[in-house]
Structures are given as structure tokens and as C-alpha cells.
Amino acid sequence: MIRKLLVANRGEIALRIFRTCRLSGIQTVAVYAEISDLHVAAADVAVEVDSFLDGAQIIAAAHRAGADAIHPGYGFLSENAAFARDVVTAGLIWIGPDPDAIEAMGDKIRAKKLVAGAGVPILEGGDSFPLLIKAAAGGGGRGMRVVTEPEALESALTAAEAEARSAFGDGTVFTEPYLPLARHVEVQVLGDASGRIWVVGDRDCSVQRRHQKIVEEAPAFGLSGETRAALHRHARNAAEAVRYQGAGTVEFLVDGERIFFLEMNTRLQVEHPVTEAVTGLDLVAWQIAIAEGRELGDAPPAPRGHAIEVRLYAEDPARDFAPQTGRVRAFHFETSDVRVDAGVAAGSEVGIRYDAMLAKIVAHGPDRAAAIRLLADALRRGVIHGLTTNLGLLRAILRDDDFVAGRVDTALLDRRLADWIGGDRDQAVRKAALAAAVGTAVRTAVSGSVQSRIPAAWRNVPSQDRVRTYRCGTAEYAVGYRSRGGRIESSWLPGVTVLAVRGERVVLDDHGVRESYRVTVVEGGADVDGPEGSFDLREVPVFTDPAANLAAGSLLASMPGLVVAVHVEAGQRVAAGDPIVVLEAMKMQQTLSAPAEGVVASLSVAVGRQVAAGDVLAVISHEESR
């Protein structure tokens, strides 16, 4: 029996495992590189390490804390066969499959050959376009590139190899045919030491960005009985081929009725909560039980109802999903009707060292339509302030007609992204901006030490409106308002009037419909929560700092990150599209290229330097290229 378990991970997955340990009476050990991480306080004891990738330090931490088992979570060392072997050699219990199974499935090239021998269909070829470049040693979208024409192949291979090497320590990549209209469907399995395999159910994970899932559902909807049975049969065959023990997932592409093996993840997956929701199983508890020697029963419970999970990321969908950093000022999702697995809270600092995922929100209903409605309502009421996230995108996905109807494939997001990040949100932002302007004006007047009795919108030229300009995303809103008879009025938004401003509460009337907004004045703007969601509004200064003017041809950092490569020198001539600098943040790499032909007039970065979004990295002079 396991008495004390160390989780070799952080964030929401460490917290998730700790919850099961508490229910099972198992003491917990956290490892951390930053003491402020939430999982540190949730554990019974904690040990500092330099890196979550340093297996020797983690094993030493387990011994120091008196742990007798290690759970790797997902990511980091969870699919590292050498680490698993070292854990066992150190006399500790490994919560996971046999290291040989990890090794066999960890190399995707080897894994495809192995499962093909067990009768599982695989994708073959990869010589014609479009094709997909994939990392042999890892997943999660790292090291993956879609190539549509031969001219782009060499640069895509170079970028994929570099990203794979950085993420997994192995730059080996391979190619396979790209099927953009296929669905991504996966099968959850559990195996015990006796060789019994449970096929626990399936999930659809087709809605993806950068080949990484953001929406997952169980069971996979709209499959024929024959296709579902084939998926389960192939998953069982793949698991039996390596005598699999513990929790694992076999992933497939489903193209009509055709099925192709993608990979096997020899660990717990991010999306495991949807399977737990429909089966009632605790997959972490089963991982621990199997590691202790418990055998599976005859069959797992049949799924009940439908569950959907969305991943909340610190990223900007309007800027190619660039990672975002900052301090979380507010974080709240109602948990009475949904499950929230979060790795942050108000006050948390989000940096560039780790994955951009902040939380997972999961809804379970009697059917798919009910689950969508519950989850959409939870996201609409959800509050997060302090950094840009994909929350608005997630809301839009759940409202989309194609998604609601189940017409999904792995390229759906790419086709619909422009609509999902634009769409009908402008009016909602405008009302939030109006609430921010009048709420801030009254709050400033009340708290001011001078002229505190003067109405908030008072001006010595009464015919002119007072104006506050806010930026939300890339759009700016110049809100006009004035004071008349002690009341705040605004004609800026036709049909919308200000009914009341009391403390942080602003009440608007939108064509006869009363709406209440909570306005929290923060440094540089306001956080607004209203009936259509939450918004971070940055106030635009009235006077522009002359120092903010940038030289023509300035190449700016599109995201905060670490400079991992510089491809040019000052004075070098470049062509449009030539790579200049490569940034890395949250396990993803981004290459910044020359926007036009020119000469590198100045270069202000070097490998190893950390940069902030908006920093000038280089200046490409067009005049000197003539």
C-alpha cells in the first residue's frame, strides 16, 4: 500500500492528483521551482528542485520527503522511460506503465510499426502534399508543421526539428499524409498486471489550435456502431501488444469510416475528466490501485450522458495564439454545475516557463446539447482578469452552428477562427467600455481629494463631452459622456442609457433591457464583468509619449519569450520572409521573419535574452537595400 506519494509535476494536474490522494488517505509531496505555485500549499510537504525535467533531483526529493511512490502527471517526465526505470531502481513505486511499454510507444515511428503488426491500421506515405511533419519523441503539437507545397518543406523541417529538440531533447521528425477533414478520436484504456485490458470509452478531440486540443468530449459523437467497435478493438490490440498497465490513451484519425492510428500516450491525459464524468470512474485512483497490484473487474461501467471540456489558455487568439504573461487579478468560475480544474487563482503570476494552460472547465449533462448549454453558461459567467486568454474564443466555439450540430474536424478552427474572434462581440465590448468610463469617472470623483463635490463629467466647456478611450484587444473605443443635473449621461452608444452608478455597480438600459455591470478600476484601466462576459479594458493615454514612436522597419516581439536563435547580423541584407529571430515561450517556438527586403540596420537581441511583447528586436532598413 502506498503511504506517501510525490507528484513530479505542477499546476492543475498536481492539484488534481492530490485530491484523489486525500480521498484515499495518501500523504502528498509537491516538488516546485517557484514557491508561489498553488500546488505547493495543497501538498502535505514540498521539496524545491531546479527543474521538473531533472529526474535525479525528483527522485532525491522523494527519498528526502519519505515518499514511497512517484506519479508523473502529464508532460515533463511522464513518458520518459529512463526516468521510470530510475524510479523503480531507486526502490520507489512508479505510477504508470512498464518502462518498456513507454519506450515502445514513445517513439512514434517505432510505435506505428509495432501496432501495424497487431493489425491496427496506420497512415503510410508522406511523400505527396499536403503532409504533416511530426516529432517522433513527443506530442502536444510541438514539432508539428503542415506543409502544403514542396518549396516550404525545408524551412518547415528545420523549424519542426528545432522545436522537437527543445521540447523533447530529440529532434527526430517524420512525415505522414495530412487529412484536414478527419476527426481526432481517442480511446481510453486501463490495464492491470494480469494482462486484462479495459476499454473505458472514447473521446472526440477534433477542435484544435496548432495541433493541440482545446475542446474534448466523451463519448465521441456521431460514430457508427461499426466505427466505434473498430476503434475499441484497435485500441485493445495496441495496448495488448505492449502488455499495457495503468491508464493510457490510443489516438486515431477517423476519416469517414476509415481509421488510422496516430499514437499511444502512455500516461494520464489532460482530457481525462470527460471520461470520468460519463463513467463515474476516478482514473487517478485506478492508476494508484493498479500500481499497488489491484486487478480490474470484468468490464468498466458504460458511459452515461455526455461531457465536454474546454482548455483555458493564456494566449491571444487574435495574434496567432501568442502566449501571454502577467498577474491574474481575478479568477472565478461557478463550480456548482461544472468541474473546474485550475492551476491559477487571483494573484497568480503566469510566466513563460511552462505550458499556457490555466484551467479546464468540464460540464456533464444527460445529452450533448445539455452539456453544451451548461458549459456555455459557465463560460459566460466566468471571470478572469489580468492577462489575455482564449475565453472569448471558447465561448464563440460553443455558440457555433457547426460545432453544435457536430460538424467538426481537425481543420474547423482554422476555417472559422476569423468569425470566432470577431463576430458579434463588438456591441458587448462597447457596453462594457461605456460602463467602464462612467464607473471610473464617478469612482475617481468620489475618491479624489480635490473638487470631490464636482460632478464626475464636469467640464468648463459644457457643450463638449468628456471622453475616455479604452483598448480591448486590438480595437479602441472613445467613449463620450457628460453630467447633466447631477446625472451621468451618454449618447455615445445609440439606444443605451446610463441608469445608475453606485460604487462598483453600473446599470445600463439597452433598448428597454436593464443590464448590470461590475466595474473594478485598476491601474491603467478597468475590469468589467457583465451579462455577456468579462472584459479587460486598457485606458489609452490622452497624450502619446514621443518615445513610443518606433523607427520604420522595426521588428517587434509578438509575445514574451526567450530568444533561442538569431539568424542574422547587423548590416546583413535580407529578403522578405527570411528568418530573423526565434522566440520560445510556454514550450512553443515562433520564428519572426523580415517583413520586406532590406538591410538589418540594428539588432538588439542575443540568444538567451528574455524579451517582452512589443520589444524592438531588430530594425530592417528599406532605404539601405537600394
Side-chain angles (χ1 to χ4, degrees), residues 183 185-186 202-204 217-223 228 231 306:
R183 289 173 61 183
V185 180
E186 59 192 29
D202 44 68
R203 302 184 283 255
D204 183 282
E217 309 186 42
F221 50 88
L223 297 178
R228 195 182 307 275
L231 284 165
H306 196 88

Side-chain angles (χ1 to χ4, degrees), residues 216-447:
E216 299 110 342
E217 309 186 42
F221 50 88
L223 297 178
S224 68
E226 294 79 4
T227 299
R228 195 182 307 275
L231 284 165
H232 290 195
R233 183 175 66 254
H234 294 320
R236 181 184 299 277
N237 290 343
E240 288 178 344
V242 290
R243 292 190 56 85
Y244 197 80
Q245 297 180 42
T249 298
V250 188
E251 302 193 347
F252 300 92
L253 281 180
V254 177
D255 188 22
E257 296 297 311
R258 299 189 303 163
I259 298 171
F260 302 102
F261 171 84
L262 279 177
E263 62 183 351
M264 184 174 187
N265 293 144
T266 53
R267 54 170 169 79
L268 192 69
Q269 282 200 293
V270 175
E271 58 271 24
H272 75 275
V274 292
T275 296
E276 293 183 325
V278 297
T279 62
L281 296 173
D282 183 330
L283 293 178
V284 173
W286 269 108
Q287 285 185 295
I288 294 171
I290 290 168
E292 291 178 325
R294 181 176 171 185
E295 294 187 358
L296 298 166
D298 291 335
R304 296 175 294 102
H306 196 88
I308 306 180
E309 169 184 293
V310 293
R311 303 188 191 186
L312 181 68
Y313 281 103
E315 63 186 16
D316 188 352
R319 294 198 297 127
D320 194 27
F321 299 96
Q324 303 294 298
T325 60
R327 181 175 177 270
V328 179
R329 291 193 296 270
F331 184 89
H332 176 72
F333 287 84
E334 179 57 50
T335 58
S336 58
D337 296 318
V338 297
R339 169 175 167 175
V340 179
D341 286 7
V344 298
S348 295
E349 292 286 343
V350 177
I352 68 168
R353 295 181 64 182
Y354 305 113
D355 188 271
M357 190 173 71
L358 305 176
K360 305 176 303 192
I361 302 95
V362 188
H364 177 240
D367 52 41
R368 186 169 185 266
I372 290 174
R373 184 166 59 189
L374 280 171
L375 186 54
D377 185 62
L379 297 185
R380 181 178 64 83
R381 297 175 184 275
V383 172
I384 180 166
H385 292 296
L387 69 169
T388 301
T389 72
N390 67 335
L391 180 57
L393 172 66
L394 297 175
R395 291 168 176 154
I397 291 171
L398 295 182
R399 295 194 304 265
D400 183 80
D401 290 342
D402 284 337
F403 177 81
V404 171
R407 296 187 293 267
V408 302
D409 54 63
T410 56
L412 178 63
L413 184 142
D414 292 334
R415 294 195 305 271
R416 303 284 290 131
L417 182 61
D419 293 331
W420 288 346
I421 63 177
D424 57 359
R425 296 287 285 169
D426 185 64
Q427 181 70 359
V429 181
R430 287 178 178 275
K431 288 188 286 186
L434 174 58
V438 299
T440 301
V442 171
R443 183 79 173 268
T444 302
V446 170
S447 61

Side-chain angles (χ1 to χ4, degrees), residues 433-434 436-438 440-441 456-459 461-471 476-483 488-492 538-543:
L434 174 58
V438 299
T440 301
W458 181 88
R459 293 180 63 89
V461 183
S463 62
Q464 299 295 314
D465 279 357
R466 175 75 181 270
V467 175
R468 287 182 187 269
T469 302
Y470 291 101
R471 180 180 295 111
E476 290 190 1
Y477 303 89
V479 184
Y481 60 96
R482 68 177 65 189
S483 175
I488 297 288
E489 297 181 349
S490 174
S491 59
W492 175 72
R538 304 299 90 205
E539 191 162 2
V540 179
V542 176
F543 302 104

